[in-house]
Amino acid sequence: MTRLTSWVESANSADTDFPLNNLPYGVFSTNALEPRCGVAIGDMVVDMAALEAEDLVLLHFDPVFDVPYWNDVMDLGPKTWADLRARLIELLSANSPDQAKVAPHLVPMSEIHLHMPLVVSEYTDFYAGRHHATNVGTMFRGAENALPPNWLHIPIGYNGRASTVVVSGTDIHRPNGQLKAPDEDLPTFGPSKRLDIELEMGAIVGTSTDMGDTISVAEADEMIFGYVLLNDWSARDIQAWEYQPLGPFQAKAFATSISPWIVTSAALEPFRTSTPEREKDLLPYLQEPKPMLFNIDLSVILQPEGGTQEVIARTNYNTMYYSAPQQLAHHASSGCAMNAGDLLGSGTISGPEKHERGSLLELSWGGEEPITLQDGSTRSFIEDGDTIILTGHAQGAEYRIGFGACAGKILPAKTKF
Ligand code: CA
């Protein structure tokens, strides 16, 4: 895991999220530039549309970077993804002969606005963290029924909404919905009182499959373009009343936030790690030919209105029971067509320890054990004005592959009824 050296000095510091080894893909604008594809390097962003216009990067006879999404690059396939990464490393390496041509097209991060890095085709959310599933199952159904009988055999998921996937920095209104506490006879309609987060990774599918086709886990791994941090905002009171028998609906449909930089599978390659030992053998179509998870340190930060940022949970993506390639292979296994731009949420990432829990539902144990913040206030769930920030990076000996932040602030509900 050697750090690659760049002529962009800020990319060579040990604690930057964006060394030359990373090169994540985003969409940015400035006061002068329309939204377009960019690549993060240190504290700068490479204007890919400008590089393409000057023939420094040529992927296709039609321009693919002068648009506000990376889907056109995804459509060109894994061979082109590898060529692009190799070319960017060449252009940005120390002693690159092209430094003088590239340097005018770097924009300081302090001057940019970040946008959604892709057009999300469809969004599917899984439930693949064993500690999370056990904790939530214990609270909702009791310890003896915590893990449903299918859980150790199937990466369980549900089809979510692409329409409300938003980029970090987008404010979220508290959702409304039907609420009914166990001791109430009838439901009422109003703002959720148990608004929560879910710390997840999002896998971005980069190539498509035809309806009727199935894929192996190895093929699924090659289809994944990259990963982002994902916050699957969840209204626990709406969820508890609506979820049987078809799973979450309005409890999760109102918002999903993602981090602005797509970290490529290629950048994460040195950090591969295996899923844990299987308690039940998986069917052959779900078996992994090699390690398919990644070692990624993750944190959840809460910032009250006008207050300071405070870490409320730390965990690692390596605690998941199912990997994204397993989830993708399962998703296509019925013959379901998958598309470039599909987003797969990993499921909440919780470790075995209390401070490793990736939701407030678990951190406060359903509200029975509120957490205390530095300012003395307590939280069982999220309050209006709170900002939640997810951060993550894969830590190597000489560098780290960072994701940036996935932040969202909760505003009061818009209530009409
Ligand atoms: Ca979720």
Side-chain angles (χ1 to χ4, degrees), residues 125-126 158 198 200 232 252 347-348:
D125 192 35
F126 286 88
Y158 65 92
E198 290 192 336
E200 303 194 20
D232 175 31
K252 287 157 181 286
T348 309

Side-chain angles (χ1 to χ4, degrees), residues 48 70 91 94 114 121 145 157 159 181 217 256-257 271 319 354 390:
M48 292 301 295
W70 280 80
L91 289 172
L114 284 162
S121 302
N145 301 309
N159 289 303
V217 174
T256 304
S257 299
F271 302 94
T319 58
K354 188 169 179 181
L390 311 181

Side-chain angles (χ1 to χ4, degrees), residues 7-8 39 41 44-47 51 92 102-108:
W7 53 263
V8 181
V39 175
I41 177 87
M44 308 293 274
V45 177
V46 184
D47 179 347
L51 259 52
L92 294 164
V102 175
H105 304 302
L106 296 187
V107 181

Side-chain angles (χ1 to χ4, degrees), residues 274-303:
S274 296
T275 44
E277 198 170 331
R278 302 289 105 180
E279 186 174 316
K280 308 260 189 199
D281 286 340
L282 291 175
L283 290 167
Y285 82 101
L286 284 174
Q287 287 172 11
E288 294 172 311
K290 66 176 185 180
M292 293 281 180
L293 281 181
F294 300 99
N295 251 311
I296 300 171
D297 291 323
L298 300 163
S299 297
V300 181
I301 295 164
L302 191 152
Q303 182 174 28

Side-chain angles (χ1 to χ4, degrees), residues 20-307:
L20 183 54
N21 304 63
N22 193 348
L23 300 177
Y25 303 151
V27 168
F28 76 101
S29 63
T30 67
N31 292 338
L33 301 174
E34 292 293 308
R36 68 211 29 228
C37 294
V39 175
I41 177 87
D43 57 11
M44 308 293 274
V45 177
V46 184
D47 179 347
M48 292 301 295
L51 259 52
E52 186 175 55
E54 296 197 5
D55 292 350
L56 286 163
V57 175
L58 271 184
L59 297 190
H60 195 258
F61 48 82
D62 287 327
V64 293
F65 295 116
D66 195 14
V67 288
Y69 43 78
W70 280 80
N71 301 61
D72 286 355
V73 175
M74 293 179 207
D75 283 338
L76 299 175
K79 166 73 171 62
T80 303
W81 307 346
D83 290 347
L84 169 61
R85 181 172 169 81
R87 179 63 178 148
L88 286 168
I89 289 175
E90 193 175 67
L91 289 172
L92 294 164
S93 286
N95 306 318
S96 164
D98 295 309
Q99 177 177 344
K101 292 182 195 157
V102 175
H105 304 302
L106 296 187
V107 181
M109 285 213 183
S110 56
E111 294 178 11
I112 64 166
H113 313 287
L114 284 162
H115 304 266
M116 278 290 289
L118 76 159
V119 176
V120 176
S121 302
E122 297 192 60
Y123 166 52
T124 307
D125 192 35
F126 286 88
Y127 189 54
R130 184 165 187 172
H131 303 290
H132 172 74
T134 303
N135 288 337
V136 174
T138 300
M139 279 182 265
F140 276 42
R141 290 181 296 276
E144 288 177 6
N145 301 309
L147 273 192
N150 55 5
W151 200 92
L152 293 167
H153 300 275
I154 298 178
I156 294 174
Y158 65 92
N159 289 303
R161 293 290 300 175
S163 63
T164 33
V165 179
V166 294
V167 73
S168 174
T170 307
D171 293 339
I172 312 289
H173 283 277
R174 178 177 297 272
N176 293 298
Q178 279 204 23
L179 316 170
K180 193 189 91 58
D183 59 353
E184 292 172 341
D185 290 335
L186 293 170
T188 56
F189 183 86
S192 168
K193 298 182 180 102
R194 290 161 73 92
L195 180 57
D196 200 357
I197 55 130
E198 290 192 336
L199 166 63
E200 303 194 20
M201 298 293 302
I204 291 165
V205 179
T207 59
S208 302
T209 64
D210 289 331
M211 189 173 167
D213 281 357
T214 59
I215 49 172
S216 68
V217 174
E219 288 167 330
D221 185 49
E222 289 175 6
M223 285 174 64
I224 295 176
F225 185 63
Y227 291 82
V228 290
L229 304 173
L230 185 149
N231 183 351
D232 175 31
W233 302 93
S234 299
R236 300 303 180 191
D237 37 10
I238 298 172
Q239 184 180 359
W241 170 231
E242 75 173 3
Y243 88 106
Q244 288 179 324
L246 289 183
F249 186 47
Q250 294 304 293
K252 287 157 181 286
F254 61 96
T256 304
S257 299
I258 63 169
S259 52
W261 297 107
I262 302 171
V263 174
T264 61
S265 302
L268 291 169
E269 196 60 36
F271 302 94
R272 275 188 186 269
T273 187
S274 296
T275 44
E277 198 170 331
R278 302 289 105 180
E279 186 174 316
K280 308 260 189 199
D281 286 340
L282 291 175
L283 290 167
Y285 82 101
L286 284 174
Q287 287 172 11
E288 294 172 311
K290 66 176 185 180
M292 293 281 180
L293 281 181
F294 300 99
N295 251 311
I296 300 171
D297 291 323
L298 300 163
S299 297
V300 181
I301 295 164
L302 191 152
Q303 182 174 28
E305 181 90 75

